């Protein structure tokens, strides 16, 4: 009966949200209705749960990303890995082996399409860690919060505006953390550039760039039941924005003094995805939805601009396009790490010399990276190098989640970050559908975006 009631409640949230997220045109701009916050419900800005002596976790989804997360958590003190869940035994077995090798107790196993509900209902779990395909993320997170659990969800955590609002409202109502597992905000270059920006090295940041450019030709068939290519065939727009937008939103203090206001998107025609589908399936593909490249521009309330690119189709070098453009400096990670400070030219001023204003030397850049090493990096770099996970940023992400939960601190990312970093998925598609019309980005904090002044990482005294 309890399981049935919780399922009905989660369904009600999604259905209820559907009627509130329709959009209309206002002076040429697409505007979404913002559902009112329920009476007595409060925002989750700077929310901190009670400290935990040990974080008891259950993992759902042990395919491509899952076992690696279990391996990392085995190396973090103050954690108990209680349960493992997947639709295939192989991922569970691999994860159990990591537990055994680390001298950990064997976890309880849940196998099957609906067994994740039983994991969420356990009384001995504090956090549900979700790593399934995109379409299942929100439903599982909603159910877990209704069961009284904090949730951490692989990216993207929500694919639609309805899912976003349901996650926000459930998090606010249940007073449970709901975060997205965005690892790129912990990449050494990104987090060091964040520290530099916060120390004023680049002046006022006016323009930022982010992207997910990663040709997936060698990976499409690794996704269970072809779910990722299927999604791109069915949906248009920037369907995977979080790696690009997350780090630059932290630099711009989004919902911590500024907010995203207007979005415009444009895409190319779909060529490569349809061709790959046709080669793989040996059948024609005339209705592939997602273009080879999607470009999105977002203006903030304070006049800053975010530029995003999504391209998983064409043979380009991997890039997240991380770029900061400030009034007195510049930083970029791709194609090579670059930092420029001040307005001084190098050598004589010559209109024919296009290289007179250039980035600092590699030796100076390395010295700056060391001088402005972020406290999070300094705190985790030894273990991050040892444990790994995308160069250590996965470990740092997990460590910070556990650290903040154990110390009763606000998390590095909150449910509004989740909403803001996922909203380009639907909003870019809607803009493109309406001939690249501007879309007003909803205020997911419902008025609370100026409560804080600047992004910060919290530390125990």
């Amino acid at each position: 009966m309890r399981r049935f009631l919780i399922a009905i409640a989660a369904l009600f949230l999604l259905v209820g949200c559907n009627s509130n997220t329709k959009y209309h045109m206002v002076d040429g701009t697409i505007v979404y209705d913002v559902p009112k916050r329920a009476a007595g419900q409060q925002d989750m800005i700077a929310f901190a749960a009670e400290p935990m002596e040990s974080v008891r976790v259950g993992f759902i989804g042990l395919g491509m990303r899952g076992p690696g997360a279990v391996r990392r958590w085995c190396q973090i003190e103050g954690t108990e890995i209680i349960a493992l869940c997947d639709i295939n035994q192989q991922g569970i077995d691999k994860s159990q082996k990591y537990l055994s090798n680390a001298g950990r107790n064997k976890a309880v196993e849940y196998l099957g399409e609906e067994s994740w509900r039983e994991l969420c209902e356990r009384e001995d779990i504090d956090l549900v860690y979700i790593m399934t395909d995109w379409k299942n993320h929100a439903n599982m997170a909603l159910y877990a919060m209704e069961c009284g659990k904090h949730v951490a969800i692989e990216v993207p955590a929500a694919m639609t505006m309805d899912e976003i609002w349901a996650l926000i409202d459930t998090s606010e109502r249940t007073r449970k953390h709901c975060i997205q597992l965005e690892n790129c905000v912990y990449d050494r270059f990104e987090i060091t550039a964040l520290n530099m920006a916060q120390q004023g090295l680049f002046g006022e940041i006016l323009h930022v760039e982010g992207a997910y450019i990663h040709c997936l030709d060698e990976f499409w068939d690794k996704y269970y039941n072809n779910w990722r290519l299927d999604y791109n065939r069915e949906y248009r727009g920037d369907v995977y924005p979080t790696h690009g937008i997350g780090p630059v939103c932290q630099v711009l203090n989004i919902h911590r003094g500024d907010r995203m206001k207007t979005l415009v998107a444009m895409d190319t025609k779909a060529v490569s995805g349809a061709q790959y589908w046709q080669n793989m399936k040996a059948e024609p593909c005339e209705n592939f939805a997602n273009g080879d490249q999607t470009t999105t521009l977002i203006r903030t309330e304070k006049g800053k601009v975010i530029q995003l690119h999504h391209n998983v189709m064409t043979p380009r070098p991997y890039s997240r396009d991380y770029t900061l453009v400030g009034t007195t400096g510049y930083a970029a990670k791709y194609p090579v790490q670059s930092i420029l400070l001040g307005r001084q030219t190098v050598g004589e001023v010559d209109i024919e010399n296009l290289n007179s204003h250039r980035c600092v030397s590699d030796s100076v850049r390395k010295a700056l990276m060391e001088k402005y090493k972020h406290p999070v990096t300094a705190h985790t770099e030894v273990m991050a190098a040892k444990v790994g996970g995308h160069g250590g940023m996965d470990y740092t992400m997990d460590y910070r989640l556990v650290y903040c939960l154990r110390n009763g601190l606000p998390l590095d990312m909150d449910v509004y970050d989740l909403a803001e970093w996922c909203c380009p998925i639907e909003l870019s598609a809607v803009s493109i559908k309406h001939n690249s019309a501007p879309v007003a980005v909803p205020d997911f904090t419902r008025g609370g975006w100026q409560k804080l002044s600047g992004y910060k990482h919290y530390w125990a005294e």
Side-chain angles (χ1 to χ4, degrees):
M1 177 60 72
R2 180 173 181 270
R3 185 188 309 177
F4 174 78
L5 291 175
I6 294 174
I8 291 297
L11 179 62
F12 175 77
L13 283 167
L14 282 176
V15 172
C17 224
N18 285 336
S19 63
N20 291 323
T21 54
K22 294 178 181 178
Y23 55 83
H24 53 281
M25 300 293 292
V26 178
D27 296 330
T29 297
I30 297 166
V31 178
Y32 275 76
D33 296 328
V34 174
K36 291 183 178 180
R37 180 176 283 129
Q41 190 169 298
Q42 298 179 345
D43 67 51
M44 296 290 284
I45 295 173
F47 171 77
E50 288 297 316
M52 303 176 188
E53 183 176 346
S54 180
V55 180
R56 302 171 300 175
V57 63
F59 291 95
I60 303 175
L62 298 167
M64 190 179 293
R65 293 277 287 151
V70 174
R71 182 183 63 82
R72 296 192 304 272
W73 274 67
C74 287
Q75 308 302 315
I76 301 175
E77 293 183 5
T79 63
E80 298 177 54
I81 299 171
I82 302 296
L84 304 171
C85 177
D86 199 74
I87 55 178
N88 293 311
Q89 187 65 42
Q90 181 180 2
I92 295 175
D93 291 344
K94 186 175 182 179
S95 300
Q96 294 282 26
K97 184 173 291 187
Y98 285 137
L99 290 170
S100 177
N101 291 343
R104 297 261 188 159
N105 293 330
K106 184 177 181 180
V108 178
E109 298 181 2
Y110 292 93
L111 179 66
E113 293 281 354
E114 297 297 320
S115 62
W116 58 271
R117 297 180 184 275
E118 297 177 56
L119 181 149
C120 292
E121 293 165 9
R122 292 184 65 96
E123 299 294 335
D124 57 351
I125 286 178
D126 305 304
L127 172 73
V128 175
Y129 198 106
I130 300 168
M131 296 168 288
T132 61
D133 62 286
W134 301 340
K135 286 187 175 182
N136 284 301
H137 285 172
N139 281 334
M140 290 178 173
L142 290 169
Y143 193 81
M145 284 188 284
E146 294 292 352
C147 290
K149 310 299 188 290
H150 301 296
V151 292
I153 319 163
E154 258 295 351
V155 297
M159 307 306 292
T160 68
M161 296 295 286
D162 292 337
E163 289 181 348
I164 286 172
W165 283 117
L167 291 171
I168 289 172
D169 282 333
T170 306
S171 177
E172 289 181 351
R173 178 171 51 80
T174 61
R175 313 309 290 168
K176 294 298 176 183
H177 288 296
C178 177
I179 70 158
Q180 187 165 237
L181 292 163
E182 179 46 66
N183 56 0
C184 293
V185 298
Y186 299 101
D187 177 89
R188 190 181 181 200
F189 188 88
E190 274 96 321
I191 201 168
T192 304
L194 169 65
N195 192 32
M196 291 177 177
Q198 291 177 333
Q199 300 300 320
L201 262 69
F202 309 126
E204 183 180 4
I205 304 297
L206 298 176
H207 174 89
V208 296
E209 299 175 15
Y212 188 72
I213 298 171
H214 186 190
C215 184
L216 294 179
D217 283 0
E218 298 177 353
F219 300 95
W220 289 120
D221 61 356
K222 304 297 189 296
Y223 296 97
Y224 180 76
N225 279 349
N226 202 45
W227 66 262
R228 188 163 184 175
L229 188 60
D230 283 349
Y231 198 94
N232 279 270
R233 185 187 183 187
E234 186 176 354
Y235 295 98
R236 202 173 178 184
D238 189 337
V239 299
Y240 199 70
T242 71
H243 290 333
I245 196 172
V248 297
C249 277
Q250 290 185 344
V251 172
L252 293 182
N253 302 313
I254 297 302
H255 85 253
R256 300 165 177 90
D258 199 357
R259 73 177 190 91
M260 299 192 297
K261 186 175 181 181
T262 309
L263 174 152
V264 173
M266 186 177 293
D267 64 355
T268 71
K269 64 180 180 179
V271 178
S272 301
Q275 186 61 55
Y276 188 92
W277 178 279
Q278 184 169 318
N279 294 342
M280 180 179 65
K281 298 284 189 179
E283 61 183 49
C285 181
E286 300 176 354
N287 59 344
F288 199 95
N290 214 8
D292 280 27
Q293 176 147 331
T294 300
T295 298
T296 303
L297 290 173
I298 304 170
R299 184 188 296 276
T300 76
E301 184 73 36
K302 294 192 173 181
K304 315 299 180 66
V305 172
I306 303 170
Q307 175 180 296
L308 300 177
H309 293 298
H310 176 264
N311 184 334
V312 294
M313 299 296 178
T314 65
R316 296 180 57 178
Y318 177 90
S319 174
R320 297 197 299 275
D321 259 9
Y322 181 81
T323 302
L324 308 180
V325 180
T327 55
T328 62
Y330 160 96
K333 184 175 181 183
Y334 300 93
V336 295
Q337 294 184 11
S338 305
I339 295 173
L340 187 151
L341 299 176
R343 297 178 177 273
Q344 298 299 314
T345 57
V346 178
E348 296 183 7
V349 178
D350 182 355
I351 194 66
E352 299 296 330
N353 181 6
L354 301 182
N355 292 315
S356 62
H357 198 62
R358 67 182 68 151
C359 295
V360 301
S361 66
D362 283 348
S363 61
V364 172
R365 175 183 55 78
K366 290 175 182 178
L368 286 169
M369 292 287 290
E370 187 63 27
K371 178 179 179 180
Y372 289 95
K373 181 187 295 183
H374 197 282
V376 167
T377 302
H379 193 71
T380 62
E381 62 184 338
V382 173
M383 280 299 293
K386 176 182 177 182
V387 178
H390 288 96
M393 61 187 181
D394 291 354
Y395 170 83
T396 304
M397 173 186 70
D398 290 334
Y399 177 87
R400 281 293 300 176
L401 172 58
V402 172
Y403 176 89
C404 292
L405 287 173
R406 292 189 69 198
N407 287 284
L409 300 170
L411 305 186
D412 294 347
M413 298 172 278
D414 62 24
V415 71
Y416 309 111
D417 292 312
L418 180 159
E420 291 150 359
W421 304 352
C422 289
C423 76
I425 297 171
E426 179 169 329
L427 300 189
S428 65
V430 169
S431 175
I432 292 167
K433 178 181 177 180
H434 292 275
N435 198 29
S436 299
V439 182
V441 180
D443 174 11
F444 297 107
T445 68
R446 290 181 275 213
W449 60 276
Q450 297 183 84
K451 280 188 173 183
L452 302 179
S453 179
Y455 176 81
K456 67 177 292 185
H457 295 83
Y458 290 84
W459 296 94
E461 295 296 333

